[in-house]
Amino acid sequence: MNKNNIIGFTLMALVLIGFSIYNQPSSEEIAELRRQDSIANVANEKALKAQQLEAEAQKAQALAAQNDSAALFFSALNGTNKEVVLNNGKVELTLNTKGGIIKKAKVLGYKDLDGAEDITLFEGEEQNMNFMLAGKTTNIVTGDLYFTPSNVSKTTVTMTANAANGGKVIIDYSLGENYMLHMSFRTEGLSGIFAPNYKEVDIEWNEKCRQHEKGFTFENQYSTLTYKIKDDDTDYLSQASSEKDEIIEETLDWVAFKNQFFSVMLISKDDFAANASLTSIPQEKGTGYLKYYEAKLKTAFDPTGAKPTELEMYFGPNDYRLLQKVQKQSKFDKELEMQDLVYLGWPIVRLINRWFTLYVFDWLTGFGFNMGIVLILITLLLKAITFPLVKKSYMSSAKMRVLRPKIEEATKQYNKPEDQMMKQQAMMTIYSKYGVSPLSGCLPMLIQMPIWIAMFNFVPNAIQLRGHSFLWIDDLSTYDPIIEWTTNIWLIGDHLSLTCILFCVSNVLYTMMTMRQQKDQMMGQQAEQMKMMQWMMYLMPVMFFFMFNDYSAGLNFYYFISLFFSAAIMWLLRKTTNDAKLLAFLEERYKKNQNNPQKANGLAARLAAMQQQAEELRKQREKYNK
């Protein structure tokens, strides 16, 4: 660093030092700054103290409201637990004076999982219901109060919680002839504690749904929190996944905590208000419970007590016909459609079950037949009804089979890949002349599918099968194990169901039979495609095993019997069909329609015409491109 640089840096330092000395505040300015900081600190302290005072005021207000509530219901907050039992021969309900609500429900005449004569839907803390009223300075929660029972009879009781000012909270219960309980909730002498525009009561209802059947997975699949939308259909929360605080925007008629064969339903005369919050949480296998259900609801409330809040509850089996009868006992003039608790499938499938399967089932059970025999008779009846169509379909396939040598001879010149369209066109022309429809062979599957799906929805929901044995099956409503173990194996579970094995084996044999029949009538490219498809067809029964191993023995037994009779029908038709006579009949028809294929079969002729048009368009495109 030279001399000039040193002088430059020195001068710059002197300028900076002088500037800082020049801008340093005077003693008066420093005093003013300190005074302003002091004022700011005081303001902050005042704001903090105001926040503390506000929090203390809110706490004091809440404590005062609590003290007011305790003072208002001081006597009702202390008491002893007493039980009152209502029994009408169909259901037994035990009410507790703590909360004034039902703490135990038994459906009589239905055995439980442990073999007891009656089934307990819930007991103790497994179910709880609270009515909550929000006053101007006090809240009333029925779960905190002890009620005094009065007007006690075999089917009626009045629960009353007395307030210090002479007011009352009253819940009236009246058990009907079957499974319906009528409730009314009201207050007397408490209108002054509510705001003038207060018109709703909050209801919090929850239950841990017990496992009642042997098959946890199967029962859990058919256990759902179900609700009825006002002037609309029913709906439900997911069976498999957790749905917490699901908000239902529509007004509701009722909410039901449902398992496979039994339900607890809550109905409101004045509807449940929109934006109800519903929760369904699946429980772990081995806990003894299927789901945790919760419903947060609002319905109409009159603070004056002139008009009670009217509710009804159903405790009973999911029996379609029974539910239709029980809803007629309702005192509410509403279309409840309680029978929708029994799920019968999608709209088209529901029609089959609603107007055919149910009536046939009722008719056959009316004779006192064993439920296994009923399933066999239903299968025979369905096979008899569909036999004409199945026979027509089979004969169409047989015609294609006997014509196969002629088709191969007539189309042997079209072996190149580019000639496949012409080959198909030639085949359709021949089929039309002989009066054969190539699509009729698909008819048996199309006929059976709606019936199979209908029974898939009907049998698991038929409580009539519950507890009924047949042959080796102890209970048609659950699986029939030939071997069980303690460790859960992925996709299989902890057992092997015999009816499921029979169903899958019969499915393989029936598939082999139908594949052989189709193979006899196919040629060329169709035959090659069939070879690829047959492995998929054989794989389906294996997939069915993993799906149906947990399903009810009744459903697997029905599918096994259905496939058995289908195979028997196909075998009988094959044995009674004379291929030589059938070919002679087709030759006679061919002579009559040799020059006019439209007369033979309109469908085949139209297919031939469509293929011919497609071929002409292809040629025109090739010509245009060239």
Side-chain angles (χ1 to χ4, degrees), residues 161-403:
N162 297 301
N165 65 351
K168 300 176 180 179
V169 176
I170 304 170
I171 309 176
D172 291 305
Y173 294 95
S174 176
L175 187 59
E177 295 180 0
N178 284 327
Y179 302 91
M180 188 76 83
L181 175 73
H182 186 78
M183 303 168 53
S184 70
F185 174 85
R186 69 186 192 276
T187 59
E188 291 182 0
L190 298 175
S191 59
I193 72 171
F194 300 108
N197 60 345
Y198 189 72
K199 295 181 179 180
E200 288 184 328
V201 58
D202 288 84
I203 302 174
E204 284 194 358
W205 180 36
N206 61 71
E207 179 187 335
K208 289 187 73 175
C209 181
R210 283 189 175 189
Q211 178 183 349
H212 298 303
E213 314 305 326
K214 180 169 63 175
F216 172 86
T217 303
F218 189 61
E219 186 182 6
N220 200 29
Q221 181 177 338
Y222 287 89
S223 300
T224 60
L225 193 158
T226 308
Y227 55 91
K228 165 72 167 55
I229 300 172
K230 183 177 176 62
D231 299 325
D232 205 341
D233 293 332
T234 58
D235 204 347
Y236 53 88
L237 301 188
S238 171
Q239 304 102 318
S241 61
S242 296
E243 293 198 31
K244 298 181 180 179
D245 299 323
E246 183 77 13
I247 303 301
I248 310 301
E249 297 179 353
E250 297 86 357
T251 303
L252 304 179
D253 283 327
W254 52 258
V255 176
F257 294 165
K258 173 183 178 293
N259 74 353
Q260 185 180 4
F261 292 127
F262 300 92
S263 291
V264 181
M265 177 188 292
L266 181 64
I267 309 163
S268 174
K269 180 178 181 179
D270 297 308
D271 311 326
F272 293 117
N275 298 316
S277 176
L278 305 179
T279 296
S280 175
I281 303 175
Q283 304 298 290
E284 293 293 331
K285 184 177 181 179
T287 61
Y289 298 101
L290 301 169
K291 303 280 175 63
Y292 170 78
Y293 294 136
E294 183 177 83
K296 297 178 181 178
L297 310 165
K298 291 180 182 290
T299 191
F301 171 73
D302 181 6
T304 67
K307 179 183 177 183
T309 298
E310 295 190 68
L311 302 166
E312 288 177 334
M313 295 190 75
Y314 172 79
F315 305 86
N318 300 329
D319 184 323
Y320 193 93
R321 298 301 189 196
L322 175 65
L323 288 164
Q324 286 181 317
K325 295 177 182 178
V326 169
Q327 69 181 357
K328 295 178 182 178
Q329 302 175 16
S330 173
K331 298 181 181 181
F332 309 154
D333 187 18
K334 303 178 74 172
E335 292 292 333
L336 295 177
E337 299 180 8
M338 292 172 60
Q339 69 273 8
D340 285 354
L341 278 176
V342 182
Y343 183 68
L344 296 179
W346 305 325
I348 296 177
V349 173
R350 187 186 307 145
L351 290 175
I352 297 174
N353 282 327
R354 174 67 180 85
W355 300 108
F356 176 78
T357 311
L358 271 171
Y359 282 98
V360 172
F361 191 79
D362 293 342
W363 175 58
L364 292 174
T365 54
F367 291 103
F369 293 133
N370 180 280
M371 288 300 165
I373 300 296
V374 169
L375 290 175
I376 294 174
L377 293 176
I378 289 177
T379 306
L380 287 172
L381 180 60
L382 291 171
K383 294 301 179 186
I385 292 173
T386 57
F387 178 76
L389 293 174
V390 171
K391 182 179 180 181
K392 183 178 180 180
S393 174
Y394 173 81
M395 293 307 297
S396 177
S397 300
K399 291 173 185 177
M400 295 175 65
R401 182 180 69 247
V402 298
L403 287 176

Side-chain angles (χ1 to χ4, degrees), residues 348-349 352 383 386 389-390 393 437-454 510 518 603:
I348 296 177
V349 173
I352 297 174
K383 294 301 179 186
T386 57
L389 293 174
V390 171
S393 174
S437 173
L439 299 181
S440 298
C442 302
L443 201 57
M445 184 60 68
L446 296 178
I447 295 170
Q448 291 187 83
M449 283 305 294
I451 297 172
W452 275 46
I453 296 173
Y510 182 72
Q518 293 177 5
L603 177 60

Side-chain angles (χ1 to χ4, degrees), residues 111-115 119 210-220 259-261 285-286 288 290 466-468 472-484 494-498 549-553:
K111 290 187 178 181
D112 70 1
L113 189 59
D114 298 323
I119 192 165
R210 283 189 175 189
Q211 178 183 349
H212 298 303
E213 314 305 326
K214 180 169 63 175
F216 172 86
T217 303
F218 189 61
E219 186 182 6
N220 200 29
N259 74 353
Q260 185 180 4
F261 292 127
K285 184 177 181 179
L290 301 169
R466 186 179 187 271
H468 283 265
W472 70 89
I473 305 170
D474 294 330
D475 187 347
L476 286 164
S477 69
T478 187
Y479 61 83
D480 57 321
I482 55 172
I483 184 173
E484 294 183 272
D494 56 5
H495 66 274
L496 289 178
S497 174
L498 178 56
N549 191 45
D550 272 324
Y551 272 60
S552 69

Side-chain angles (χ1 to χ4, degrees), residues 461-475:
N461 290 294
I463 193 173
Q464 293 83 354
L465 299 179
R466 186 179 187 271
H468 283 265
S469 61
F470 181 66
L471 299 178
W472 70 89
I473 305 170
D474 294 330
D475 187 347

